[in-house]
Amino acid sequence: MMSDDKKEFWRWKEYNWRDENKDWKGAELISAGVDVGSVSSQAVILVDGELYAYSNMRTGSDSPNSARNAMNWALEDTGMTYDDLHYVVGTGYGRVNVPFANRAITEIACHARGGNLMYGPTVRTILDMGGQDCKAIRCDERGKVQNFLMNDKCAAGTGRGMEVFADLLSIPIEEVGDLSLEVDEEPPPVSSTCVVFAKSEASSLLREGWSKKRVLAAYCSAMAHRVVSLLERVGVEKDFAITGGIAKNSGVITRLTKELNLEALKSKYDTQIAGALGAALFAKTLMEKQRKSA
Amino acid sequence: MITAGIDMGAKYIKVVILKDDKIIGKSNVPTGFDQTESAGKALEAAAKEAGIEISSIKHIAATGAGRKIAPLANSTITEVSVAAKGATYFYPSVRTVIEVGAEEGRVVKCNERGKVEDFAINEKCAAGAGSFTEAMARALELKLEEFGEISLKSDKSIPMNAQCAVFAESEVVSLVHAKTPKPDIAKAVHDAIASRIVSMVRRVGINEDVALVGGVSYNPGFVDSLKRGLETTVVIPDQAEYIGALGAALAAGERGE
Amino acid sequence: MKANYGYLDGSGEYFITIDTDLCIDCKDRGCVDGCPGGLFEIIVDDYDDEVAAIKEDKRKKIKYDCASCKPASDRPPLPCVNACTPGAITHSW
């Protein structure tokens, strides 16, 4: 059990951002998306379809208020209030906990739509590795879902699985990926898929004299391999993109793209906002539909 | 004829020595980091209790996760087979044997001669084995023994959402934050793992009598949840942890002839 | 759309795949009553189509809930697959 009073190696940086150069006051349509995940929550605000502000924070144990906290933080210093938002879509594990949302849409559809904007209309396969789940999505050029799979039963291949290892090895989670690549020779992957058993295995390896970097390499390798199995179920078609927190883990990404023999597209957007971004895009479309039929 | 069975478990190595199918010696030694060394020690201890020399053992059969590296073993035998043999030795009326260890859960359907007719295994996932209850006990900062006991004090049925030991730990922490009484959480945990085991039993069919063996049989909370889930009684052999080694020793008797 | 419900964990891969394009014109909805475990329901998806899905609270227990229909030593025809007239349902295990 990870206690909060000792150094928290699993804790990653929370942040918000807004476009200081944009004046939203004359905007036609302000849409927002809120993605409440079991580990992290994001809020995204689009002004006439362009990214204006967003926040990324840990959901914590206060899940009913996470949506509001995330939105408040995104709105911070913008001068915007909830009343200025024309349409809000809620998504994520806690999408029923976005009390101010006009509609809830599944995280699958939102990730596909968000990915379509973030990576462009050529993207066909999106892998999202979130805090407590792993999604494999095939989409078309409009970001509409053609095939999907979501694995939220098992911690292996999720951010939580990686947090367990960061905690075990006392390494800040943001450094895990790069450190795992600093090995002369790629070790065999950890043989257990299960995080609980992989952790015991890692403890044995450390006792046998393996360096922390080598253990990390073995775990990232196992995680990458497992994710490839999931991707193969929906089929991998290029272009390929990766969203979510683990997209920032070079150790997993490098090994994953190598095994697939396929590079992942890059985006100027933060990979963790894909869901909320897609939700905000759905919000824009739904508001436009509403106005047309009015 | 003197035969022996070694159960090379992940946490403990058990040895049973039989003379003409009667138990004359046994031992239980922590596996530690050197399985081979610990197994040797276990054999010596059991032989000492039996008052015999190891060399007088006609046939040694090894079972368990580490059976292929058991020292001095003449043959190996699967955990599924020894569960059936060992359980029917004590209870000839047993037709379903449930074995839940720290890392694996197994269900075996057998006939009156202890021969395996069908089986299902839940492996490599902590949620289907004793590791699940251990992890939750740790999350509640309770000893495993206490954890099992306090679950019996609850009469609530809180379903657990998480089906993974790692996620369940977070769920337990949330329940604690929500001021859920520990007995209720403990019961929820035991009901959860018992229901997974019961589903596995359904794959071979629930045929009475049902026996429970393995480390988890010592957890009264689990036993209670299991009985309710199966809707049958469950017999638990004394010293259930020796069933595997006993079954192996019985098999050794058949092979040594 | 192919919707894959289920998971991959240490013990294996367990997915029920529903080809929702085939659900759209289905009138029978045989899966809902056909499954002894009550795993199926009809939902309106994100694209406003009425399709079959595995109930949310069942998706993480698929291996266990399907266990009664999948005995250890046999593979009888699955009730859900039989009940689905458009043939939209497949199991990965």
Side-chain angles (χ1 to χ4, degrees), chain A residues 22-42:
Chain A
K22 195 190 279 291
D23 179 11
W24 58 268
K25 299 242 164 68
E28 292 248 321
L29 205 165
I30 299 178
S31 63
V34 184
D35 181 356
V36 180
S38 34
V39 176
S40 69
S41 295
Q42 294 81 30

Side-chain angles (χ1 to χ4, degrees), chain B residues 3-252:
Chain B
T3 61
I6 311 180
D7 182 354
M8 305 279 288
K11 291 208 163 150
Y12 293 94
I13 296 183
K14 284 79 70 178
V15 171
V16 166
I17 300 181
L18 297 175
K19 183 174 180 182
D20 300 326
D21 289 352
K22 290 267 183 312
I23 300 174
I24 58 169
K26 53 189 197 312
S27 68
N28 186 346
V29 160
T31 309
F33 303 130
D34 190 337
Q35 289 187 64
T36 320
E37 195 191 327
S38 305
K41 289 208 178 101
L43 260 172
E44 278 163 25
K48 190 161 172 217
E49 186 179 288
I52 57 150
E53 296 294 323
I54 293 181
S55 52
S56 67
I57 305 175
K58 184 93 186 286
H59 191 108
I60 301 177
T63 188
R67 63 183 175 278
K68 298 215 166 83
I69 59 165
L72 305 176
N74 300 104
S75 64
T76 60
I77 179 168
T78 64
E79 290 152 287
V80 163
S81 296
V82 300
K85 282 194 193 306
T88 47
Y89 177 87
F90 289 115
Y91 294 96
S93 59
V94 159
R95 295 292 174 266
T96 310
V97 183
I98 303 174
E99 182 172 0
V100 183
E103 301 193 343
E104 222 173 78
R106 241 168 269 129
V107 184
V108 184
K109 178 175 163 187
C110 62
N111 67 11
E112 68 285 353
R113 285 169 292 122
K115 182 164 185 292
V116 176
E117 290 185 339
D118 215 348
F119 67 91
I121 303 182
N122 226 7
E123 55 178 350
K124 303 189 183 155
C125 171
S131 301
F132 184 78
T133 7
E134 279 172 33
M136 297 310 115
R138 267 200 306 274
L140 284 176
E141 290 167 344
L142 288 172
K143 289 213 196 64
L144 194 52
E145 300 80 51
E146 295 173 86
F147 188 51
E149 299 278 351
I150 68 162
S151 78
L152 296 171
K153 298 199 172 95
S154 163
D155 57 2
K156 297 254 176 21
S157 275
I158 307 172
M160 282 199 84
N161 188 26
Q163 299 294 317
C164 161
V166 175
F167 296 152
E169 207 180 300
S170 309
E171 196 173 333
V172 160
V173 168
S174 302
L175 288 170
V176 168
H177 279 147
K179 307 263 191 286
T180 313
K182 282 191 181 180
D184 293 342
I185 302 179
K187 178 151 178 286
V189 168
H190 288 91
D191 282 352
I193 185 179
S195 91
R196 288 191 276 275
I197 302 296
V198 168
S199 294
M200 206 175 41
V201 179
R202 293 223 169 88
R203 294 193 61 210
V204 303
I206 304 175
N207 292 304
E208 291 190 76
D209 288 333
V210 178
L212 173 67
V213 299
V216 171
S217 62
Y218 285 97
N219 182 329
F222 174 77
V223 174
D224 186 64
S225 297
L226 183 66
K227 284 181 182 164
R228 276 183 286 108
L230 289 171
E231 294 173 344
T232 65
T233 51
V234 169
V235 295
I236 303 174
D238 271 335
Q239 302 190 307
E241 70 268 29
Y242 289 103
I243 292 292
L246 169 62
L250 289 164

Side-chain angles (χ1 to χ4, degrees), chain A residues 182-254:
Chain A
E182 286 174 24
V183 285
D184 295 324
E185 201 189 280
E186 186 74 356
V190 164
S191 68
S192 309
T193 297
C194 173
V195 170
V196 174
F197 299 148
K199 193 175 163 185
S200 306
E201 207 178 316
S203 302
S204 301
L205 293 171
L206 288 170
R207 268 196 303 270
E208 277 174 39
W210 280 42
S211 68
K212 287 185 181 183
K213 290 179 188 178
R214 201 149 188 250
V215 170
L216 275 177
Y219 186 66
C220 287
S221 180
M223 194 188 268
H225 184 69
R226 173 203 159 79
V227 166
V228 167
S229 297
L230 286 174
L231 276 168
E232 281 170 352
R233 184 161 294 281
V234 301
V236 182
E237 191 196 328
K238 54 181 279 195
D239 283 322
F240 172 57
I242 306 172
T243 62
I246 305 192
K248 300 173 183 174
N249 182 318
S250 52
V252 175
I253 302 312
T254 307

Side-chain angles (χ1 to χ4, degrees), chain A residues 72-92:
Chain A
N72 289 344
W73 209 20
L75 289 168
E76 200 180 74
D77 295 333
T78 59
M80 213 188 263
T81 68
Y82 284 81
D83 292 331
D84 297 309
L85 304 173
H86 295 125
Y87 204 104
V88 180
V89 164
T91 188

Side-chain angles (χ1 to χ4, degrees), chain A residues 96-108:
Chain A
V96 291
N97 284 326
V98 185
F100 49 88
N102 299 93
R103 183 165 162 178
I105 296 198
T106 68
E107 39 197 327
I108 301 292

Side-chain angles (χ1 to χ4, degrees), chain A residues 2-199:
Chain A
M2 295 182 294
S3 55
D4 288 295
D5 43 55
K6 59 178 177 141
K7 171 115 200 248
E8 296 162 330
F9 297 101
W10 44 266
R11 191 175 278 288
W12 37 264
K13 247 197 309 258
E14 301 171 290
Y15 47 88
N16 66 349
W17 172 90
R18 75 195 159 283
D19 187 342
E20 317 228 311
N21 298 322
K22 195 190 279 291
D23 179 11
W24 58 268
K25 299 242 164 68
E28 292 248 321
L29 205 165
I30 299 178
S31 63
V34 184
D35 181 356
V36 180
S38 34
V39 176
S40 69
S41 295
Q42 294 81 30
V44 163
I45 303 172
L46 298 177
V47 166
D48 291 327
E50 301 229 326
L51 185 64
Y52 172 63
Y54 68 84
S55 68
N56 180 15
M57 50 180 273
R58 202 160 183 98
T59 302
S61 51
D62 197 8
S63 180
N65 289 322
S66 304
R68 205 167 276 283
N69 292 339
M71 185 54 90
N72 289 344
W73 209 20
L75 289 168
E76 200 180 74
D77 295 333
T78 59
M80 213 188 263
T81 68
Y82 284 81
D83 292 331
D84 297 309
L85 304 173
H86 295 125
Y87 204 104
V88 180
V89 164
T91 188
Y93 168 78
R95 74 182 183 275
V96 291
N97 284 326
V98 185
F100 49 88
N102 299 93
R103 183 165 162 178
I105 296 198
T106 68
E107 39 197 327
I108 301 292
C110 287
H111 271 88
R113 195 74 185 272
N116 176 271
L117 178 69
M118 287 167 67
Y119 300 98
T122 61
V123 77
R124 292 290 173 272
T125 312
I126 298 173
L127 170 69
D128 177 70
M129 289 190 281
Q132 283 194 191
D133 63 48
C134 197
K135 306 176 197 60
I137 305 170
R138 289 280 295 277
C139 61
D140 66 12
E141 71 284 355
R142 294 163 298 150
K144 185 172 184 208
V145 179
Q146 305 284 291
N147 192 333
F148 77 88
L149 170 172
M150 176 158 94
N151 192 338
D152 63 348
K153 181 263 181 197
C154 174
T158 70
R160 281 287 283 120
M162 194 51 85
E163 285 179 359
V164 166
F165 265 72
D167 198 57
L168 172 73
L169 299 169
S170 302
I171 295 177
I173 190 139
E174 282 137 335
E175 295 175 27
V176 160
D178 291 336
L179 279 175
S180 81
L181 293 171
E182 286 174 24
V183 285
D184 295 324
E185 201 189 280
E186 186 74 356
V190 164
S191 68
S192 309
T193 297
C194 173
V195 170
V196 174
F197 299 148
K199 193 175 163 185

